[in-house]
Amino acid sequence: MDRDQHRAVRNTPVVQGEGSPHHRLAEERARSDVQRLRARARHIADDVADRLADPAFVDRHLTATPKLEGSLLTNGAAGTALLLAEAGHAQGAYREQTRAHLGLWAQRLRAAPARIGLFSGLAGLGFACGAASSADDDTYAHLRGQVRAAVLAATPGLSTAIGRRIDGTGTALTMVDHDVVYGLTGLGVYLLAEAPDSRALAQVTDTLIRLSATREVTGHRIPAWATRRVDDGTESGLLNLGLAHGLAGSLAFLSLALLVGAERPGQRQAVHDMAAWLLNERRDGPDGAAWWPRTLRLDATGAATVTDPPTQLAWCYGTLSVCTALRLAGQAGERPDWVRDAKRDLIRAFDDLSGADVTASHLCHGWAGLLQITSRTRDGHPGDDELTGLTHTLAARVLNSYDAQAPFGFRTDLGLPHGPQNEPGFLTGAAGNALALHAYGHDQLPATVWDAALLLAPPRAGGPLPSR
């Protein structure tokens, strides 16, 4: 059932009153449609988990990528481990398979010990191990302890270097310095789960707070999080607004930290200032619906212009990215108006799904990511018919991409010359699709809180760890 059908059911005139047989029949049909949709989502999620359970099968069928890349949270063994941990959480299934995938990831990461990012290295391994752990299961305690020690050792130097770049006293700041995929925001998510009382988390948070300031460049004040960009030999600044690589991601993390009581001096003010900046960049479309740019380009005077494409309907960039960050900022800063407006603008962003330029099914910039964002927003607004209807519509879009002939149940089209590829992983692959469908199919929030990696919720604390 799509969103228009849900609206039709809700808005159908009932001549004989709401208790009439016609009204009850319409409600029963709508419930039956939803039940079938959820049942199919559960079936497909389980099917994908079964397909990905054997690491050898995955290795045989995935589209060839560099060896290390296939072990990362983005598109490799870590993502499949998250799916197996979530799918097996209630009944204790897939434990051996989860262990096998995490062991494979650990082996491959030994070849690149300098990588520590959430989606690009050790922090992702620790995050996935923590998600697979429980209070009465210390299977991964030793491995998690090793990862934590390595991350804690690397974080101070990294935070200091990136802090200088933010201040303009070091080398040029890049988006991978502070983003959730490679940078400090992703490390913050990991540390919030695995080392919430650590000095390293304080250092990461303090550095990200400094993004709310400005710095001087050629006599002009620009946002401290502006990065350098060179096009055709012309240097300019770039402001990325998205969750994946931009201000919305850092704002979401700082807000999530506040929500679980991890507060540093100046953090609340930084959340307010970042949110205010994003609110100031709100645009109104011809139909009155709000939208936010993907990125802004800064010229030599500090003036900003919207880049092309202007916006995007996705987790990584665009309106839903910003709405997610503003919702979390509103919750953390006790601004119910931000929460209310973020929900309204999210719903309006879906007004014309027929014209939406969404061609992928995965979490990063596809239907699965939109489904999970909407599901998390709905959690804060129980009983909201529009949000509920949207989750049904978006789940159907993900399900429409299922391909029983594909080795992993879904193929990924990243616009590469060789065409769609077989990706098993989390951010751009089948595991991420199945995780979103699993949550929808069971109509419940993820037990492992896997979507904390997407900055949609505070991370879940893992099981026991060796003493520090």
Side-chain angles (χ1 to χ4, degrees):
M1 177 182 294
D2 64 23
R3 187 181 177 200
D4 290 337
Q5 288 174 308
H6 276 274
R7 278 179 169 168
V9 169
R10 293 198 306 272
N11 298 329
T12 298
V14 182
V15 176
Q16 300 175 11
E18 291 198 358
S20 73
H22 290 293
H23 182 81
R24 289 197 299 272
L25 181 60
E27 285 189 330
E28 288 169 5
R29 285 175 177 170
R31 281 195 296 270
S32 179
D33 287 344
V34 169
Q35 289 169 356
R36 284 195 295 270
L37 194 63
R38 290 199 192 278
R40 184 161 183 252
R42 293 193 298 271
H43 172 73
I44 298 303
D46 290 344
D47 174 68
V48 173
D50 287 341
R51 291 169 184 252
L52 296 178
D54 180 7
F57 176 84
V58 173
D59 276 350
R60 283 197 306 272
H61 292 282
L62 60 80
T63 301
T65 56
K67 188 174 182 180
L68 177 63
E69 185 180 0
S71 70
L72 303 182
L73 185 59
T74 300
N75 65 350
T80 55
L82 276 180
L83 169 61
L84 296 175
E86 179 69 26
H89 187 272
Q91 64 270 42
Y94 298 118
R95 286 186 176 178
E96 290 300 319
Q97 294 91 336
T98 303
R99 188 177 298 114
H101 280 277
L102 289 173
L104 175 65
W105 192 18
Q107 288 178 352
R108 290 177 174 174
L109 281 178
R110 288 194 184 101
R115 292 175 179 249
I116 64 169
L118 183 62
F119 284 83
S120 59
L122 285 174
L125 174 59
F127 178 86
C129 286
S133 300
S134 62
D136 58 353
D137 180 7
D138 64 353
T139 300
Y140 304 105
H142 180 67
L143 180 55
R144 288 167 57 211
Q146 289 182 310
V147 170
R148 187 186 64 190
V151 173
L152 292 181
T155 298
L158 186 62
S159 295
T160 299
I162 293 174
R164 291 195 188 106
R165 294 169 199 166
I166 292 172
D167 296 339
T169 58
T171 57
L173 184 72
T174 68
M175 69 180 187
V176 300
D177 289 329
H178 61 80
D179 72 2
V180 71
V181 178
Y182 305 97
L184 289 185
T185 295
L187 281 182
V189 171
Y190 164 76
L191 292 167
L192 202 56
E194 295 288 283
D197 300 321
S198 66
R199 177 59 187 157
L201 176 60
Q203 291 169 319
V204 166
T205 305
D206 288 347
T207 305
L208 291 173
I209 287 171
R210 288 154 69 179
L211 291 173
S212 64
T214 61
R215 67 174 184 266
E216 185 173 326
V217 176
T218 62
H220 300 280
R221 304 301 299 184
I222 66 171
W225 50 280
T227 57
R228 180 172 172 266
R229 174 173 177 156
V230 178
D231 289 315
D232 300 324
T234 302
E235 184 173 335
S236 62
L238 189 72
L239 298 175
N240 190 312
L241 279 64
L243 276 174
H245 304 295
L247 185 66
S250 299
L251 172 58
F253 166 73
L254 293 174
S255 301
L256 290 167
L258 287 175
L259 287 170
V260 296
E263 182 171 355
R264 296 289 297 165
Q267 187 171 345
R268 288 188 180 275
Q269 187 62 49
V271 165
H272 178 275
D273 292 347
M274 289 177 172
W277 192 95
L278 286 170
L279 287 166
N280 191 56
E281 291 301 321
R282 180 185 188 273
R283 268 74 166 168
D284 290 321
D287 59 352
W291 65 274
W292 276 267
R294 297 174 77 254
T295 58
L296 298 171
R297 182 176 300 164
L298 296 174
D299 66 16
T301 69
T305 56
V306 178
T307 59
D308 190 53
T311 192
Q312 186 173 352
L313 193 63
W315 164 78
C316 52
Y317 287 101
T319 300
L320 264 66
S321 256
V322 175
C323 286
T324 296
L326 290 175
R327 172 176 62 82
L328 294 171
Q331 292 171 349
E334 299 180 350
R335 290 294 303 265
D337 53 328
W338 290 357
V339 177
R340 179 197 64 228
D341 293 349
K343 184 199 84 165
R344 177 202 63 206
D345 293 337
L346 179 145
I347 291 172
R348 290 296 307 274
F350 289 105
D351 273 356
D352 183 17
L353 274 182
S354 62
D357 187 20
V358 182
T359 59
S361 59
H362 53 248
L363 289 173
C364 185
H365 46 275
W367 297 113
L370 300 176
L371 170 60
Q372 196 61 25
I373 283 178
T374 306
S375 296
R376 277 292 180 181
T377 305
R378 171 181 173 247
D379 178 56
H381 301 275
D384 188 290
D385 288 343
E386 284 195 284
L387 287 171
T388 299
L390 270 175
T391 62
H392 302 324
T393 300
L394 296 169
R397 297 291 178 111
V398 180
L399 289 167
N400 287 343
S401 299
Y402 174 75
D403 179 359
Q405 303 306 310
F408 309 139
F410 292 91
R411 298 187 193 276
T412 298
D413 189 353
L414 297 176
L416 300 176
H418 58 257
Q421 57 198 61
N422 299 321
E423 288 238 11
F426 175 72
L427 193 58
T428 55
N433 294 358
L435 281 164
L437 289 175
H438 185 276
Y440 170 80
H442 290 274
D443 194 19
Q444 62 187 23
L445 299 176
T448 60
V449 200
W450 56 264
D451 55 348
L454 302 177
L455 300 166
L456 302 185
R460 163 183 171 267
L465 273 171
S467 60
R468 296 188 188 116

